[in-house]
Amino acid sequence: MCAADYLLLGHHKTAVQMLLGTDPQHDAYYADMLRACLVSSMTSPETAKGTIRLAAMKLLGNGQLMAGVELLCLIGCGLDACRYLQAAGDWETAALYAVLTPFLITVSQRHRSP
């Protein structure tokens, strides 16, 4: 069975695990990382942040810097994202994210409060 089959059967946790286990050389690797994040956020919001962080780490570990950085920023880990950008030598983008992260967090919190 493939991840899509598990999704259709309602076995979301297994589907997420399979999606996160996609071979980095596979054409659908990036899409599967995003699908895992989406399924997790829709079916298990309490664990979604961990799933998104894991997907980000996998992307970063497989040379997809900006994709991993975007996911880290999405879950409020902008400063971690900056560290990865710095380690990759992209100081300009890291500086921009470092300046924007506190502002974006403030705006996000204002939109969430009643």
Side-chain angles (χ1 to χ4, degrees):
M1 291 180 71
C2 66
D5 295 331
Y6 284 109
L7 284 172
L8 292 172
L9 293 171
H11 299 285
H12 301 117
K13 186 175 181 179
T14 302
V16 167
Q17 291 172 343
M18 288 186 76
L19 291 166
L20 289 172
T22 300
D23 185 323
Q25 302 305 315
H26 194 278
D27 290 341
Y29 178 71
Y30 178 65
D32 283 355
M33 293 299 109
L34 295 181
R35 285 173 61 204
C37 295
L38 177 63
V39 171
S40 181
S41 66
M42 296 303 295
T43 60
S44 183
E46 62 279 355
T47 63
K49 187 173 182 177
T51 300
I52 295 169
R53 186 176 194 83
L54 179 58
M57 295 298 109
K58 287 178 166 283
L59 289 164
L60 289 164
N62 286 294
Q64 296 188 30
L65 177 66
M66 290 311 296
V69 163
E70 289 169 358
L71 290 180
L72 287 174
C73 289
L74 178 69
I75 59 170
C77 296
L79 296 179
D80 289 338
C82 290
R83 289 185 195 101
Y84 282 100
L85 289 164
Q86 289 171 346
D90 191 349
W91 289 88
E92 186 175 319
T93 305
L96 176 64
Y97 281 29
V99 169
L100 289 178
T101 295
F103 169 75
L104 295 174
I105 290 170
T106 302
V107 170
S108 173
Q109 289 172 343
R110 285 187 185 156
H111 286 329
R112 288 184 195 158
S113 57

